[in-house]
Amino acid sequence: MDTLLPPHVRPMTEDDLDAVMAIEVASYVHSWKPEHFSAEIAGTCSWPFVAVAGGRVIGYVCLMSLFEEAQILNVAVQVSHRGRGIARLLLELAFRVALEKGAEKMALEVRASNVTAISLYQKLGFVRVGIRTGYYESVEDAVLMEKPLI
Ligand SMILES: CC(C)(COP(=O)(O)OP(=O)(O)OC[C@H]1O[C@@H](n2cnc3c(N)ncnc32)[C@H](O)[C@@H]1OP(=O)(O)O)[C@@H](O)C(=O)NCCC(=O)NCCS
């Protein structure tokens, strides 16, 4: 029945961690560990969400929001569900939550080689605001991106 419904987004819970970790390790060479997600679930300034379709977790976003600035810490979508607007659904919810928490802008860091993610962020209104040289494993640059929320 649920497979006939469009994907929806809800807060991440500890029960989601196996599904989240399966997506995480398929998505990154340097993946987060379960305790990183647990810290986001427990955090008072963090709001992790999962996208669910057919009763299964197919993606997630981790949002942190503190005073006027919010950050996207992680976003990933199951390989078989990419290119269907799931990341957009998750990020647009994160923008609304951040705004509700009082954030005025959204920031993130992305590997310079991750052209797919950079393209996604540009499509959603982020612009490049800087580079952190050798930020990842001392060899790869981070592109700093921001988007105004108000
Ligand atoms: C990046 C990622 C989250 C995108 O998820 P997704 O659900 O496939 O993205 P969406 O379908 O919502 O795409 C939204 C927009 O992003 C852009 N985009 C997404 N995938 C793209 C690709 N392969 N090439 C170019 N642009 C792409 C497009 O502009 C797209 O808009 P359009 O469909 O109107 O053209 C997904 O590829 C992923 O999980 N990658 C591995 C983890 C990762 O790199 N996360 C980001 C770390 S900073």
Short mmCIF file of all heavy atoms in Angstrom, two decimals, residues 18-81:
data_model
loop_
_atom_site.label_atom_id
_atom_site.label_comp_id
_atom_site.label_asym_id
_atom_site.label_seq_id
_atom_site.Cartn_x
_atom_site.Cartn_y
_atom_site.Cartn_z
N ASP A 18 20.38 0.92 10.88
CA ASP A 18 20.89 -0.11 9.96
C ASP A 18 20.67 0.32 8.51
O ASP A 18 21.56 0.21 7.67
CB ASP A 18 20.19 -1.46 10.22
CG ASP A 18 20.67 -2.12 11.51
OD1 ASP A 18 21.67 -1.62 12.09
OD2 ASP A 18 20.04 -3.10 11.94
N ALA A 19 19.46 0.81 8.24
CA ALA A 19 19.15 1.23 6.86
C ALA A 19 19.97 2.46 6.47
O ALA A 19 20.48 2.55 5.34
CB ALA A 19 17.65 1.54 6.75
N VAL A 20 20.12 3.37 7.40
CA VAL A 20 20.91 4.59 7.13
C VAL A 20 22.37 4.21 6.87
O VAL A 20 22.98 4.70 5.91
CB VAL A 20 20.79 5.57 8.33
CG1 VAL A 20 21.86 6.64 8.27
CG2 VAL A 20 19.39 6.20 8.34
N MET A 21 22.91 3.31 7.67
CA MET A 21 24.31 2.93 7.49
C MET A 21 24.52 2.19 6.17
O MET A 21 25.59 2.32 5.55
CB MET A 21 24.79 2.06 8.67
CG MET A 21 25.14 2.85 9.92
SD MET A 21 26.35 4.17 9.64
CE MET A 21 27.75 3.27 8.98
N ALA A 22 23.55 1.42 5.72
CA ALA A 22 23.68 0.73 4.42
C ALA A 22 23.82 1.77 3.30
O ALA A 22 24.64 1.61 2.38
CB ALA A 22 22.48 -0.18 4.18
N ILE A 23 23.04 2.85 3.38
CA ILE A 23 23.12 3.92 2.37
C ILE A 23 24.44 4.67 2.53
O ILE A 23 25.13 4.97 1.54
CB ILE A 23 21.92 4.88 2.50
CG1 ILE A 23 20.62 4.12 2.23
CG2 ILE A 23 22.07 6.07 1.55
CD1 ILE A 23 19.36 4.91 2.54
N GLU A 24 24.82 4.92 3.78
CA GLU A 24 26.04 5.69 4.06
C GLU A 24 27.27 4.99 3.48
O GLU A 24 28.08 5.63 2.79
CB GLU A 24 26.16 5.87 5.58
CG GLU A 24 27.41 6.54 6.07
CD GLU A 24 27.48 8.05 5.84
OE1 GLU A 24 26.46 8.65 5.47
OE2 GLU A 24 28.57 8.62 6.01
N VAL A 25 27.43 3.69 3.73
CA VAL A 25 28.65 3.01 3.26
C VAL A 25 28.64 2.84 1.74
O VAL A 25 29.70 2.78 1.12
CB VAL A 25 28.90 1.66 3.98
CG1 VAL A 25 29.12 1.86 5.46
CG2 VAL A 25 27.79 0.67 3.72
N ALA A 26 27.45 2.81 1.15
CA ALA A 26 27.37 2.73 -0.31
C ALA A 26 27.65 4.08 -0.96
O ALA A 26 27.91 4.15 -2.16
CB ALA A 26 25.99 2.21 -0.73
N SER A 27 27.57 5.15 -0.17
CA SER A 27 27.66 6.50 -0.73
C SER A 27 29.03 7.15 -0.57
O SER A 27 29.36 8.05 -1.34
CB SER A 27 26.60 7.41 -0.05
OG SER A 27 25.30 6.93 -0.32
N TYR A 28 29.77 6.75 0.45
CA TYR A 28 31.03 7.45 0.75
C TYR A 28 32.16 6.46 0.97
O TYR A 28 31.96 5.42 1.61
CB TYR A 28 30.90 8.27 2.04
CG TYR A 28 29.85 9.35 2.01
CD1 TYR A 28 28.66 9.19 2.72
CD2 TYR A 28 30.06 10.53 1.30
CE1 TYR A 28 27.70 10.19 2.72
CE2 TYR A 28 29.10 11.53 1.30
CZ TYR A 28 27.93 11.35 2.01
OH TYR A 28 26.97 12.34 2.00
N VAL A 29 33.36 6.82 0.51
CA VAL A 29 34.56 6.05 0.85
C VAL A 29 34.88 6.25 2.33
O VAL A 29 35.20 5.31 3.05
CB VAL A 29 35.74 6.50 -0.04
CG1 VAL A 29 37.04 5.81 0.40
CG2 VAL A 29 35.45 6.23 -1.51
N HIS A 30 34.75 7.49 2.79
CA HIS A 30 35.00 7.81 4.20
C HIS A 30 33.64 8.05 4.86
O HIS A 30 33.15 9.18 4.89
CB HIS A 30 35.88 9.05 4.33
CG HIS A 30 37.20 8.90 3.62
ND1 HIS A 30 38.27 8.27 4.20
CD2 HIS A 30 37.59 9.26 2.38
CE1 HIS A 30 39.27 8.26 3.35
NE2 HIS A 30 38.90 8.85 2.24
N SER A 31 33.02 6.97 5.31
CA SER A 31 31.64 7.09 5.79
C SER A 31 31.58 7.41 7.28
O SER A 31 32.52 7.14 8.04
CB SER A 31 30.87 5.81 5.49
OG SER A 31 31.58 4.70 5.91
N TRP A 32 30.44 7.98 7.69
CA TRP A 32 30.16 8.17 9.11
C TRP A 32 29.96 6.81 9.76
O TRP A 32 29.59 5.83 9.08
CB TRP A 32 28.87 8.98 9.30
CG TRP A 32 29.01 10.44 9.11
CD1 TRP A 32 30.00 11.11 8.48
CD2 TRP A 32 28.07 11.44 9.55
NE1 TRP A 32 29.74 12.46 8.49
CE2 TRP A 32 28.57 12.68 9.14
CE3 TRP A 32 26.86 11.39 10.23
CZ2 TRP A 32 27.90 13.88 9.41
CZ3 TRP A 32 26.19 12.57 10.50
CH2 TRP A 32 26.71 13.81 10.10
N LYS A 33 30.13 6.77 11.08
CA LYS A 33 29.85 5.57 11.85
C LYS A 33 28.47 5.73 12.50
O LYS A 33 27.98 6.86 12.61
CB LYS A 33 30.92 5.38 12.91
CG LYS A 33 32.29 5.14 12.30
CD LYS A 33 33.28 4.67 13.32
CE LYS A 33 34.52 4.05 12.70
NZ LYS A 33 34.92 4.58 11.41
N PRO A 34 27.86 4.61 12.96
CA PRO A 34 26.53 4.73 13.57
C PRO A 34 26.48 5.77 14.70
O PRO A 34 25.49 6.47 14.87
CB PRO A 34 26.25 3.33 14.11
CG PRO A 34 27.09 2.43 13.28
CD PRO A 34 28.31 3.21 12.89
N GLU A 35 27.59 5.86 15.47
CA GLU A 35 27.58 6.80 16.59
C GLU A 35 27.48 8.26 16.14
O GLU A 35 26.99 9.12 16.88
CB GLU A 35 28.77 6.60 17.53
CG GLU A 35 30.10 6.50 16.86
CD GLU A 35 30.53 5.05 16.58
OE1 GLU A 35 29.66 4.22 16.23
OE2 GLU A 35 31.74 4.77 16.71
N HIS A 36 27.94 8.55 14.92
CA HIS A 36 27.78 9.92 14.40
C HIS A 36 26.29 10.24 14.22
O HIS A 36 25.82 11.32 14.56
CB HIS A 36 28.50 10.09 13.06
CG HIS A 36 29.99 10.02 13.17
ND1 HIS A 36 30.75 9.10 12.49
CD2 HIS A 36 30.85 10.75 13.90
CE1 HIS A 36 32.03 9.28 12.79
NE2 HIS A 36 32.11 10.28 13.65
N PHE A 37 25.55 9.27 13.68
CA PHE A 37 24.11 9.48 13.48
C PHE A 37 23.39 9.51 14.83
O PHE A 37 22.47 10.31 15.02
CB PHE A 37 23.52 8.39 12.57
CG PHE A 37 23.98 8.51 11.14
CD1 PHE A 37 24.98 7.70 10.65
CD2 PHE A 37 23.43 9.46 10.30
CE1 PHE A 37 25.43 7.82 9.35
CE2 PHE A 37 23.86 9.60 8.99
CZ PHE A 37 24.86 8.78 8.51
N SER A 38 23.84 8.65 15.77
CA SER A 38 23.22 8.66 17.11
C SER A 38 23.38 10.02 17.76
O SER A 38 22.46 10.53 18.41
CB SER A 38 23.86 7.59 18.01
OG SER A 38 23.54 6.32 17.51
N ALA A 39 24.57 10.62 17.57
CA ALA A 39 24.81 11.95 18.17
C ALA A 39 23.88 12.98 17.53
O ALA A 39 23.38 13.88 18.23
CB ALA A 39 26.27 12.35 17.97
N GLU A 40 23.60 12.83 16.24
CA GLU A 40 22.68 13.78 15.58
C GLU A 40 21.25 13.59 16.10
O GLU A 40 20.52 14.55 16.30
CB GLU A 40 22.72 13.58 14.05
CG GLU A 40 24.06 13.88 13.41
CD GLU A 40 24.58 15.27 13.76
OE1 GLU A 40 23.84 16.24 13.55
OE2 GLU A 40 25.72 15.36 14.25
N ILE A 41 20.87 12.33 16.32
CA ILE A 41 19.52 12.04 16.82
C ILE A 41 19.35 12.63 18.23
O ILE A 41 18.29 13.19 18.56
CB ILE A 41 19.26 10.51 16.82
CG1 ILE A 41 19.19 9.99 15.39
CG2 ILE A 41 17.99 10.16 17.59
CD1 ILE A 41 19.26 8.47 15.27
N ALA A 42 20.40 12.52 19.04
CA ALA A 42 20.32 12.97 20.44
C ALA A 42 20.57 14.46 20.60
O ALA A 42 20.20 15.04 21.62
CB ALA A 42 21.34 12.19 21.28
N GLY A 43 21.21 15.09 19.61
CA GLY A 43 21.66 16.47 19.75
C GLY A 43 20.52 17.46 19.91
O GLY A 43 19.42 17.27 19.36
N THR A 44 20.80 18.54 20.63
CA THR A 44 19.76 19.55 20.84
C THR A 44 19.76 20.61 19.73
O THR A 44 18.82 21.38 19.63
CB THR A 44 19.96 20.26 22.20
OG1 THR A 44 21.30 20.74 22.27
CG2 THR A 44 19.68 19.33 23.35
N CYS A 45 20.82 20.64 18.93
CA CYS A 45 20.89 21.61 17.82
C CYS A 45 20.88 20.89 16.48
O CYS A 45 21.23 21.49 15.46
CB CYS A 45 22.16 22.45 17.92
SG CYS A 45 22.26 23.38 19.43
N SER A 46 20.54 19.60 16.47
CA SER A 46 20.59 18.85 15.22
C SER A 46 19.25 18.17 14.95
O SER A 46 18.54 17.75 15.88
CB SER A 46 21.72 17.83 15.25
OG SER A 46 21.64 17.06 16.42
N TRP A 47 18.93 18.09 13.67
CA TRP A 47 17.65 17.54 13.23
C TRP A 47 17.90 16.62 12.04
O TRP A 47 17.91 17.08 10.88
CB TRP A 47 16.67 18.66 12.87
CG TRP A 47 16.25 19.42 14.08
CD1 TRP A 47 15.22 19.12 14.93
CD2 TRP A 47 16.88 20.58 14.62
NE1 TRP A 47 15.18 20.02 15.97
CE2 TRP A 47 16.19 20.93 15.80
CE3 TRP A 47 17.97 21.36 14.24
CZ2 TRP A 47 16.54 22.01 16.59
CZ3 TRP A 47 18.33 22.44 15.02
CH2 TRP A 47 17.63 22.76 16.17
N PRO A 48 18.13 15.33 12.29
CA PRO A 48 18.29 14.40 11.19
C PRO A 48 16.94 13.84 10.73
O PRO A 48 16.07 13.54 11.56
CB PRO A 48 19.16 13.29 11.80
CG PRO A 48 18.88 13.33 13.26
CD PRO A 48 18.38 14.70 13.61
N PHE A 49 16.76 13.74 9.43
CA PHE A 49 15.50 13.24 8.86
C PHE A 49 15.78 12.11 7.88
O PHE A 49 16.84 12.09 7.25
CB PHE A 49 14.78 14.35 8.09
CG PHE A 49 14.31 15.49 8.95
CD1 PHE A 49 15.08 16.63 9.08
CD2 PHE A 49 13.11 15.40 9.66
CE1 PHE A 49 14.66 17.69 9.89
CE2 PHE A 49 12.70 16.45 10.47
CZ PHE A 49 13.47 17.59 10.59
N VAL A 50 14.82 11.21 7.74
CA VAL A 50 14.92 10.17 6.71
C VAL A 50 13.78 10.34 5.72
O VAL A 50 12.69 10.79 6.07
CB VAL A 50 14.87 8.74 7.29
CG1 VAL A 50 16.14 8.42 8.07
CG2 VAL A 50 13.63 8.53 8.18
N ALA A 51 14.06 9.97 4.47
CA ALA A 51 13.01 9.85 3.45
C ALA A 51 12.63 8.38 3.40
O ALA A 51 13.51 7.50 3.44
CB ALA A 51 13.53 10.33 2.10
N VAL A 52 11.33 8.13 3.33
CA VAL A 52 10.82 6.76 3.38
C VAL A 52 9.90 6.53 2.18
O VAL A 52 9.07 7.38 1.86
CB VAL A 52 10.01 6.54 4.69
CG1 VAL A 52 9.40 5.16 4.74
CG2 VAL A 52 10.89 6.78 5.91
N ALA A 53 10.10 5.39 1.52
CA ALA A 53 9.19 4.99 0.43
C ALA A 53 8.96 3.49 0.55
O ALA A 53 9.90 2.73 0.80
CB ALA A 53 9.79 5.32 -0.93
N GLY A 54 7.72 3.08 0.40
CA GLY A 54 7.40 1.66 0.52
C GLY A 54 7.82 1.10 1.88
O GLY A 54 8.19 -0.07 1.99
N GLY A 55 7.79 1.95 2.90
CA GLY A 55 8.15 1.49 4.25
C GLY A 55 9.65 1.38 4.49
O GLY A 55 10.08 0.96 5.55
N ARG A 56 10.47 1.76 3.48
CA ARG A 56 11.93 1.64 3.63
C ARG A 56 12.60 2.98 3.57
O ARG A 56 12.17 3.86 2.82
CB ARG A 56 12.49 0.77 2.51
CG ARG A 56 11.81 -0.55 2.39
CD ARG A 56 12.53 -1.39 1.40
NE ARG A 56 13.17 -2.49 2.11
CZ ARG A 56 13.54 -3.62 1.53
NH1 ARG A 56 13.40 -3.77 0.25
NH2 ARG A 56 14.06 -4.59 2.23
N VAL A 57 13.66 3.10 4.34
CA VAL A 57 14.47 4.33 4.31
C VAL A 57 15.25 4.36 3.00
O VAL A 57 15.97 3.42 2.67
CB VAL A 57 15.42 4.37 5.52
CG1 VAL A 57 16.39 5.53 5.40
CG2 VAL A 57 14.62 4.47 6.82
N ILE A 58 15.10 5.47 2.26
CA ILE A 58 15.79 5.58 0.97
C ILE A 58 16.74 6.78 0.92
O ILE A 58 17.38 7.03 -0.10
CB ILE A 58 14.79 5.65 -0.20
CG1 ILE A 58 13.81 6.83 0.00
CG2 ILE A 58 14.04 4.34 -0.36
CD1 ILE A 58 13.02 7.17 -1.25
N GLY A 59 16.81 7.52 2.03
CA GLY A 59 17.73 8.66 2.04
C GLY A 59 17.63 9.36 3.37
O GLY A 59 16.75 9.07 4.19
N TYR A 60 18.57 10.27 3.59
CA TYR A 60 18.56 11.03 4.86
C TYR A 60 19.29 12.34 4.69
O TYR A 60 20.06 12.53 3.74
CB TYR A 60 19.20 10.22 5.99
CG TYR A 60 20.54 9.65 5.63
CD1 TYR A 60 21.70 10.40 5.76
CD2 TYR A 60 20.64 8.37 5.10
CE1 TYR A 60 22.93 9.90 5.39
CE2 TYR A 60 21.86 7.85 4.73
CZ TYR A 60 23.00 8.62 4.87
OH TYR A 60 24.22 8.11 4.48
N VAL A 61 19.00 13.25 5.62
CA VAL A 61 19.72 14.52 5.69
C VAL A 61 19.97 14.81 7.16
O VAL A 61 19.12 14.51 8.01
CB VAL A 61 18.92 15.66 5.01
CG1 VAL A 61 17.61 15.97 5.73
CG2 VAL A 61 19.76 16.94 4.90
N CYS A 62 21.15 15.35 7.47
CA CYS A 62 21.46 15.78 8.83
C CYS A 62 21.64 17.29 8.82
O CYS A 62 22.55 17.81 8.15
CB CYS A 62 22.72 15.09 9.34
SG CYS A 62 22.51 13.31 9.55
N LEU A 63 20.79 17.95 9.56
CA LEU A 63 20.78 19.41 9.65
C LEU A 63 21.25 19.82 11.04
O LEU A 63 20.82 19.22 12.04
CB LEU A 63 19.34 19.91 9.45
CG LEU A 63 19.03 21.35 9.87
CD1 LEU A 63 19.65 22.34 8.89
CD2 LEU A 63 17.52 21.57 9.96
N MET A 64 22.11 20.84 11.09
CA MET A 64 22.45 21.45 12.38
C MET A 64 22.07 22.92 12.28
O MET A 64 22.32 23.55 11.24
CB MET A 64 23.94 21.32 12.64
CG MET A 64 24.33 21.77 14.03
SD MET A 64 26.08 21.57 14.32
CE MET A 64 26.71 22.95 13.40
N SER A 65 21.46 23.46 13.30
CA SER A 65 21.06 24.86 13.25
C SER A 65 21.35 25.51 14.59
O SER A 65 20.91 25.03 15.63
CB SER A 65 19.57 24.99 12.91
OG SER A 65 19.26 26.34 12.63
N LEU A 66 22.14 26.58 14.55
CA LEU A 66 22.55 27.26 15.78
C LEU A 66 22.50 28.76 15.50
O LEU A 66 23.24 29.26 14.64
CB LEU A 66 23.98 26.83 16.14
CG LEU A 66 24.45 27.12 17.55
CD1 LEU A 66 23.55 26.49 18.59
CD2 LEU A 66 25.88 26.60 17.72
N PHE A 67 21.61 29.46 16.20
CA PHE A 67 21.42 30.90 16.00
C PHE A 67 21.13 31.18 14.52
O PHE A 67 20.28 30.54 13.95
CB PHE A 67 22.61 31.69 16.55
CG PHE A 67 22.85 31.40 18.00
CD1 PHE A 67 24.00 30.75 18.41
CD2 PHE A 67 21.89 31.72 18.97
CE1 PHE A 67 24.21 30.44 19.75
CE2 PHE A 67 22.10 31.43 20.31
CZ PHE A 67 23.26 30.79 20.68
N GLU A 68 21.91 32.11 13.91
CA GLU A 68 21.51 32.55 12.56
C GLU A 68 22.03 31.65 11.44
O GLU A 68 21.65 31.82 10.29
CB GLU A 68 21.92 34.01 12.31
CG GLU A 68 23.40 34.27 12.15
CD GLU A 68 24.10 34.40 13.49
OE1 GLU A 68 23.48 34.25 14.56
OE2 GLU A 68 25.32 34.65 13.47
N GLU A 69 22.92 30.67 11.80
CA GLU A 69 23.46 29.84 10.72
C GLU A 69 23.11 28.37 10.90
O GLU A 69 23.24 27.82 11.99
CB GLU A 69 24.99 29.98 10.64
CG GLU A 69 25.54 29.21 9.45
CD GLU A 69 27.01 29.47 9.17
OE1 GLU A 69 27.40 30.65 9.13
OE2 GLU A 69 27.75 28.48 8.99
N ALA A 70 22.68 27.78 9.81
CA ALA A 70 22.40 26.35 9.80
C ALA A 70 23.39 25.67 8.87
O ALA A 70 23.98 26.33 7.99
CB ALA A 70 20.98 26.08 9.35
N GLN A 71 23.60 24.37 9.07
CA GLN A 71 24.52 23.63 8.19
C GLN A 71 23.91 22.29 7.80
O GLN A 71 23.27 21.64 8.63
CB GLN A 71 25.82 23.34 8.92
CG GLN A 71 26.79 24.49 8.91
CD GLN A 71 28.17 24.04 9.38
OE1 GLN A 71 28.68 23.00 8.98
NE2 GLN A 71 28.75 24.85 10.23
N ILE A 72 24.16 21.92 6.57
CA ILE A 72 23.87 20.56 6.13
C ILE A 72 25.13 19.75 6.40
O ILE A 72 26.18 20.02 5.83
CB ILE A 72 23.52 20.51 4.62
CG1 ILE A 72 22.26 21.33 4.31
CG2 ILE A 72 23.36 19.05 4.16
CD1 ILE A 72 20.99 20.85 4.97
N LEU A 73 25.04 18.76 7.30
CA LEU A 73 26.20 17.97 7.67
C LEU A 73 26.34 16.73 6.80
O LEU A 73 27.44 16.21 6.62
CB LEU A 73 26.11 17.54 9.14
CG LEU A 73 26.00 18.66 10.17
CD1 LEU A 73 25.93 18.08 11.57
CD2 LEU A 73 27.16 19.63 10.05
N ASN A 74 25.22 16.24 6.30
CA ASN A 74 25.25 15.00 5.51
C ASN A 74 23.94 14.90 4.75
O ASN A 74 22.87 15.23 5.30
CB ASN A 74 25.42 13.79 6.45
CG ASN A 74 25.85 12.52 5.73
OD1 ASN A 74 25.77 12.45 4.50
ND2 ASN A 74 26.28 11.55 6.49
N VAL A 75 24.00 14.44 3.54
CA VAL A 75 22.79 14.09 2.78
C VAL A 75 23.18 12.97 1.82
O VAL A 75 24.22 13.05 1.17
CB VAL A 75 22.18 15.31 2.03
CG1 VAL A 75 23.15 15.96 1.09
CG2 VAL A 75 20.90 14.92 1.30
N ALA A 76 22.38 11.94 1.78
CA ALA A 76 22.66 10.83 0.86
C ALA A 76 21.35 10.12 0.52
O ALA A 76 20.40 10.10 1.32
CB ALA A 76 23.67 9.85 1.45
N VAL A 77 21.34 9.54 -0.66
CA VAL A 77 20.16 8.84 -1.17
C VAL A 77 20.60 7.45 -1.65
O VAL A 77 21.69 7.32 -2.25
CB VAL A 77 19.51 9.65 -2.31
CG1 VAL A 77 18.38 8.87 -2.99
CG2 VAL A 77 19.00 10.99 -1.77
N GLN A 78 19.79 6.46 -1.40
CA GLN A 78 20.08 5.10 -1.86
C GLN A 78 20.32 5.12 -3.36
O GLN A 78 19.56 5.76 -4.10
CB GLN A 78 18.88 4.21 -1.50
CG GLN A 78 19.10 2.75 -1.74
CD GLN A 78 17.89 1.95 -1.33
OE1 GLN A 78 17.35 2.15 -0.24
NE2 GLN A 78 17.42 1.09 -2.20
N VAL A 79 21.34 4.40 -3.81
CA VAL A 79 21.75 4.45 -5.21
C VAL A 79 20.56 4.21 -6.15
O VAL A 79 20.38 4.93 -7.14
CB VAL A 79 22.88 3.42 -5.46
CG1 VAL A 79 23.23 3.36 -6.94
CG2 VAL A 79 24.11 3.75 -4.63
N SER A 80 19.73 3.22 -5.84
CA SER A 80 18.62 2.86 -6.73
C SER A 80 17.51 3.91 -6.77
O SER A 80 16.62 3.82 -7.62
CB SER A 80 18.02 1.52 -6.29
OG SER A 80 17.60 1.62 -4.94
N HIS A 81 17.54 4.89 -5.87
CA HIS A 81 16.50 5.92 -5.84
C HIS A 81 17.02 7.31 -6.22
O HIS A 81 16.31 8.29 -6.06
CB HIS A 81 15.85 5.98 -4.44
CG HIS A 81 14.91 4.84 -4.19
ND1 HIS A 81 15.35 3.57 -3.90
CD2 HIS A 81 13.56 4.78 -4.20
CE1 HIS A 81 14.31 2.77 -3.74
NE2 HIS A 81 13.21 3.47 -3.90
#
